[in-house]
Amino acid sequence: MCHDLENRVFAWLRADPARLEALALAERLHLADWCLAAGFVRNLVWDRLHGYTHPTPLEDIDLVYFDSRDDSVARDRELETYLSAVSNLPWSVKNQARMHERNGDAPYRSTCDAMTYWVERETAVGVQLGREGDMSMVAPFGLASLLEGKVTYNPRCRNRAAFRERSRRKAWLSIWPRLVVVG
């Protein structure tokens, strides 16, 4: 079942030229533990569930990676600057090796581990493109609730106010009215 869900999302990604371009650009950075996550996958799925023929615009493309050897903000800015120079896409690059500090958590061990602390479970989904063009999924909570059109508070985040604020600010229910907010 899990592979069926992944393959469905992979097919949708392959049918989206802008997302394929973003994946190819991110892959060229040769980061060890990375994915394009959050709205990059989540919004695509919600668009498909709502039958939209054109993708809703992405506020940004979240490239998340894990590199404990250089967790500086300067490195993220360097990567963003490069990606912005070679494309017109709205990049946001964040090394998850330092994000625990902002969130008051114990140090994260990987990109996937960091994603288990994100505010919504359905946002904690990412995809990586391999050098041979194969895709792999990073989804610590699985894909079922995302494909059911849910928005679920992640109690591991320990910030219910952030969940309410993000839901309101991002206007998800206005954009995708059939979503079901859980928590």
Side-chain angles (χ1 to χ4, degrees):
M1 180 68 166
C2 182
H3 290 297
D4 292 342
L5 298 178
E6 284 183 4
N7 288 333
R8 184 181 324 167
V9 175
F10 292 155
W12 292 342
L13 287 161
R14 285 189 179 94
D16 187 317
R19 281 181 168 83
L20 279 179
E21 175 191 357
L23 282 164
L25 289 169
E27 189 279 324
R28 286 186 209 141
L29 298 174
H30 304 292
L31 299 169
D33 182 6
W34 71 274
C35 63
L36 298 185
F40 186 81
V41 177
R42 181 198 62 219
N43 294 10
L44 172 69
V45 170
W46 290 348
D47 284 347
R48 290 297 183 124
L49 294 177
H50 281 74
Y52 298 166
T53 54
H54 299 289
T56 56
L58 287 169
E59 186 177 301
D60 56 21
I61 295 177
D62 293 292
L63 169 57
V64 295
Y65 70 104
F66 190 90
D67 182 356
S68 58
R69 294 169 295 147
D70 182 357
D71 65 357
S72 67
V73 174
R75 174 68 173 143
D76 290 355
R77 295 296 83 70
E78 175 187 309
L79 294 169
E80 273 183 18
T81 299
Y82 168 77
L83 290 166
S84 295
V86 297
S87 76
N88 292 322
L89 300 171
W91 293 97
S92 174
V93 179
K94 298 281 187 297
N95 186 347
Q96 301 301 292
R98 73 168 184 284
M99 291 296 108
H100 68 283
E101 296 166 359
R102 178 184 75 180
N103 300 328
D105 298 324
Y108 303 143
R109 298 179 309 275
S110 66
T111 295
C112 185
D113 181 46
M115 291 168 73
T116 67
Y117 290 88
W118 288 8
V119 179
E120 311 89 22
R121 290 176 176 248
E122 294 76 17
T123 297
V125 176
V127 66
Q128 181 184 53
L129 185 68
R131 292 196 175 108
E132 302 301 318
D134 53 312
M135 291 183 187
S136 58
M137 189 72 63
V138 180
F141 302 112
L143 295 173
S145 66
L146 176 63
L147 286 158
E148 291 167 0
K150 293 181 181 173
V151 184
T152 310
Y153 170 66
N154 176 12
R156 196 165 192 196
C157 166
R158 301 183 324 265
N159 190 345
R160 190 173 296 273
F163 176 71
R164 287 189 298 269
E165 171 57 22
R166 282 174 52 83
S167 296
R168 185 197 60 74
R169 181 176 43 85
K170 292 184 175 281
W172 289 328
L173 293 176
S174 296
I175 300 166
W176 300 284
R178 293 195 308 262
L179 294 177
V180 177
V181 177
V182 182

